[in-house]
Amino acid sequence: MSSPPTQASLDALFARATSARVLDDGHGRATERHVLAEARGIEDLRALREHLRIQEGGPSFHCMCLGDLTVELLAHDQPLASISFHHARSLRNPDWTSDAMLVDGPALVRWLAGRGAPDPLREYEEERERARTAQEARRLWLAAAPPCFAPDLPRFEDDANGLPLGPMSPEVAEAERRLRASYATPELACAALLAWLGTGAGPWSGYPAYEMLPENLLLGFGLPTAIAAASAPGTSEAALRGAARLFASWEVVSSKKSQLGDIPEALWERLRTIVRATGNADNLSRFERAEAIAAEVRRLRAQPAPFAAGAGLAVAGVSSSGRLSGLVTDGDALYSGDGNDIVMFQPGRVSPVVLLAGTDPFFELAPPVSQMLFVAHANAGTISKVLTEGSSLIVMARNQARPMSLVHARGFMAWVNQAMVPDPERGAPFVVQRSTIMEFEHPTPRCLHEPAGSAFSLACDEEHLYWCELSAGRLELWRHPHHRPGAPSRFAYLGEHPIAATWYPTLTLNATHVLWADPVRRAILGVDKRTGVEPIVLAETRHPPAHVVSEDRDIFALTGQPDSRDWHVEHIRSGASTVVADYQRQLWDRPDMVLNRRGLFFTTNDRILTLARS
């Protein structure tokens, strides 16, 4: 039975021991390679015990790690107890209800150093030096904070769990109000924030969480205001360091690219000198990446025509903000999501036109019809439309549970709601996903089908709606006749699909088949629309396929290894696959593909690449 930690219980263990050994991890694995020192005999054991005296009666706690060292006690060479040593501060005995603080934390590592094992003492002293450096950095950080935060800065930095507050939190909003009230202009407030951000002494990645506050506030004021503050005469070197860090931050580089192009080239030159002087190679690399993005923005503004992107490919579009999501076409123009916005790419121009300036990046697009583009917002739970000439969001259906995979054909529209509901077995806070296939009817959408398991990847043609269902490891293809009477039914069995699978089919259609890419089999598979029998191999690909699009004669696939940046475009006709282009991608890339009369188009990170059709 466990009991609170006491010195008496620890002494009793040592009294039973005839030897001990100290291992160089907290896991208690006694191999020869792990033994740092041994204690044998009464005097040796007594000395070791004195180095492990504990404080009694303190509050209960439990270190989250397994320990740095293990003190293994043995009785006649048989294991008696394993006690883990944590950070030269505390001990853990499995028979105690709590860890225990040590009277002299580093005593054990000093004892080890005296016995020819200096590494634990060296690591302890290095950790103490890092702690002193962090304390000094925190002191300088507090001293540089705008005076309006002096009374209660910590409450603006993290929540009750010690996690940094997000930019939309009430505390950050209050901090912004306090700044606006304390400075005559937004530019002066931003200058103070930039100087504060520039006080951070470490890298621009892996920094203390409390340093997020000035960046969140600067983005709240807006990047144009921060640019004006950094460009003002007499800007301090600390503020310029802060500006360089802000402009190179992930939030700006990934979602505010066009605003980087608004930074004067003279300011970039001043910032480059300051960043190079810091001697931090990673910071310089991030800064140069931001500077390169700004240069590309300026170049595209001056010359907005498509340009080559390697053999056979051209860049047909480049986002204004960040990564593109979704891609649909009306046969001529292209439409995508650019951050929160819905944008259009016109033929012959790589820069997008904003159709809808949004506030939520979690949406999916369906192709336009009659100059109306359809959109499902997962967080808002809405199905809406936007005019292709630009308009506000026209909501068609509300109160949907995470609507996704929006499709339509011949006046029919459907999507799948992916609701997160309490787990029926474990209860809240555990949740499971519940899929529902929905059909649009005015004024209220109706449930078309409730699968036994999960449903995903809708595809629609002139006659049928198709989707995948996965239940108990069985993957099935379902369909519903949307323009004649009939109920949803299982159309084909696609095989076993284990829960640990790293890929799931994404359906596409041509005149004769329902198709998808199978990277495991290195093939494009299909089910005949007329018969619905088991899948057949339509073509084998040269590399594992991940994404596919098809028309009656042509199939195009994006192929490559999932851990590789080198990917390929393969063209399939009459069952034969040929690599027609190569390109570089980011490892986490999730492209979308469309075909129209001009060619193949697909997204990769922040741009649209195109391959002309032959």
Side-chain angles (χ1 to χ4, degrees):
M1 181 178 295
S2 297
S3 59
T6 64
Q7 187 65 47
S9 64
L10 188 60
D11 291 346
L13 283 174
F14 271 89
R16 295 166 56 194
T18 58
S19 63
R21 52 192 175 190
V22 181
L23 315 177
D24 68 353
D25 63 29
H27 305 259
R29 294 193 298 267
T31 64
E32 182 179 347
R33 182 170 57 87
H34 288 295
V35 176
L36 297 175
E38 292 185 294
R40 292 186 178 273
I42 295 175
E43 292 303 321
D44 233 5
L45 286 168
R46 182 182 294 120
L48 178 58
R49 183 194 65 189
E50 288 303 309
H51 293 313
L52 297 174
R53 300 197 67 81
I54 65 170
Q55 304 176 31
E56 297 182 354
S60 295
F61 71 98
H62 196 279
C63 180
M64 297 302 291
C65 78
L66 296 173
D68 307 307
L69 304 171
T70 293
V71 179
E72 186 180 49
L73 300 178
L74 302 103
H76 306 292
D77 294 328
Q78 297 301 310
L80 178 64
S82 289
I83 301 166
S84 55
F85 177 87
H86 296 251
H87 315 297
R89 297 180 66 248
S90 62
L91 282 186
R92 174 179 303 155
N93 180 349
D95 292 333
W96 291 342
T97 56
S98 167
D99 293 357
M101 295 298 294
L102 289 158
V103 172
D104 183 358
L108 177 63
V109 295
R110 291 197 299 267
W111 179 81
L112 287 170
R115 288 180 164 243
D119 287 351
L121 178 59
R122 175 183 53 78
E123 292 167 2
Y124 165 72
E125 291 173 344
E126 289 173 352
E127 180 58 35
R128 287 189 66 191
E129 182 58 32
R130 284 192 292 269
R132 282 193 291 267
T133 301
Q135 290 173 354
E136 177 61 13
R138 177 63 172 169
R139 185 189 68 79
L140 295 173
W141 183 263
L142 293 174
C148 59
F149 294 133
D152 52 357
L153 176 60
R155 81 181 188 88
F156 296 109
E157 294 178 322
D158 52 41
D159 60 19
N161 297 316
L163 298 175
L165 294 166
M168 305 304 294
S169 67
E171 291 83 359
V172 172
E174 181 183 341
E176 183 178 332
R177 288 193 295 271
R178 192 178 290 187
L179 278 165
R180 290 184 182 275
S182 301
Y183 292 90
T185 65
E187 288 76 14
L188 290 175
C190 284
L193 289 171
L194 289 172
W196 190 20
L197 185 61
T199 305
W204 296 345
S205 63
Y207 51 81
Y210 60 72
E211 293 186 10
M212 291 182 66
L213 177 60
E215 181 179 321
N216 286 336
L217 290 167
L218 283 161
L219 294 174
F221 276 94
L223 202 59
T225 307
I227 294 170
S231 303
T235 302
S236 69
E237 183 171 326
L240 291 173
R241 284 198 303 271
R245 177 173 174 177
L246 176 67
F247 300 156
S249 67
W250 169 253
E251 179 64 28
V252 172
V253 167
S254 65
S255 63
K256 301 181 185 300
K257 295 191 315 172
S258 63
Q259 295 181 37
L260 286 174
D262 298 333
I263 299 172
E265 292 186 61
L267 180 56
W268 282 113
E269 293 176 4
R270 293 179 65 193
L271 298 180
R272 190 186 316 117
T273 300
I274 288 173
V275 175
R276 282 178 174 166
T278 66
N280 189 305
D282 185 67
N283 291 357
L284 179 60
S285 174
R286 293 172 185 275
F287 176 82
E288 290 176 342
R289 168 64 176 155
E291 189 177 19
I293 290 173
E296 181 184 60
V297 170
R298 293 193 299 269
R299 179 176 61 80
L300 293 178
R301 287 172 179 172
Q303 182 61 41
F307 55 93
L313 294 174
V315 175
V318 179
S319 72
S320 291
S321 298
R323 187 180 70 86
L324 294 170
S325 60
L327 187 65
V328 295
T329 182
D330 59 9
D332 196 24
L334 301 168
Y335 304 86
S336 187
D338 186 359
N340 298 335
D341 302 336
I342 297 174
V343 298
M344 174 177 64
F345 292 89
Q346 298 169 322
R349 295 186 62 85
V350 296
S351 299
V353 175
V354 176
L355 300 182
L356 176 75
T359 58
D360 182 0
F362 299 103
F363 61 85
E364 296 182 7
L365 300 175
V369 174
S370 301
Q371 297 184 317
M372 293 183 294
L373 186 68
F374 298 95
V375 54
H377 277 91
N379 287 345
T382 58
I383 304 297
S384 310
K385 58 186 176 182
V386 177
L387 301 183
T388 57
E389 296 178 351
S391 72
S392 59
L393 200 64
I394 305 167
V395 178
M396 303 165 59
R398 302 181 186 273
N399 303 317
Q400 301 303 295
R402 298 177 66 237
M404 300 179 183
S405 199
L406 180 65
V407 295
H408 62 77
R410 290 180 61 192
F412 170 81
M413 181 178 294
W415 62 92
V416 56
N417 281 346
Q418 303 286 18
M420 305 305 294
V421 301
D423 189 315
E425 296 180 1
R426 296 180 293 175
F430 301 100
V431 296
V432 295
Q433 182 172 286
R434 287 286 182 263
S435 303
T436 308
I437 307 296
M438 303 295 296
E439 175 185 0
F440 179 74
E441 285 190 355
H442 185 75
T444 304
R446 75 178 187 95
C447 172
L448 186 65
H449 176 61
E450 289 186 333
S454 62
F456 57 94
S457 188
L458 274 60
C460 195
D461 63 15
E462 299 295 302
E463 299 295 334
H464 291 94
L465 172 69
Y466 299 88
W467 66 89
C468 290
E469 290 193 17
L470 180 62
S471 180
R474 289 175 54 87
L475 185 62
E476 299 171 339
L477 178 65
W478 283 62
R479 76 173 183 178
H480 167 67
H482 59 74
H483 264 75
R484 58 180 173 81
S489 60
R490 184 184 299 105
F491 188 54
Y493 172 61
L494 306 187
E496 296 298 308
H497 206 75
I499 192 170
T502 58
W503 71 279
Y504 291 84
T506 299
L507 303 181
T508 189
L509 307 174
N510 64 18
T512 58
H513 286 83
V514 183
L515 307 86
W516 63 96
D518 186 332
V520 175
R521 297 177 64 175
R522 284 199 177 199
I524 307 301
L525 303 186
V527 170
D528 193 307
K529 287 182 175 181
R530 297 164 298 177
T531 62
V533 296
E534 65 181 24
I536 61 171
V537 174
L538 298 178
E540 294 182 346
T541 54
R542 303 295 182 90
H543 306 277
H547 311 276
V548 63
V549 66
S550 176
E551 285 185 349
D552 294 349
R553 293 189 308 127
D554 295 310
I555 301 173
F556 289 90
L558 302 182
T559 67
Q561 297 293 342
D563 58 352
S564 174
R565 294 182 182 274
D566 298 316
W567 269 46
H568 320 277
V569 181
E570 298 194 29
H571 178 211
I572 300 161
R573 181 176 287 180
S574 301
S577 183
T578 304
V579 175
V580 291
D582 303 303
Y583 70 101
Q584 291 276 310
R585 61 147 202 166
Q586 291 184 339
L587 293 182
W588 58 86
D589 197 25
R590 293 177 60 105
D592 291 278
M593 307 172 67
V594 295
L595 281 169
N596 67 17
R597 61 180 179 81
R598 294 187 290 126
L600 168 71
F601 297 85
F602 62 95
T603 60
T604 177
N605 192 31
D606 66 341
R607 53 201 62 208
I608 300 171
L609 300 185
T610 182
L611 177 74
R613 300 185 73 169
S614 56

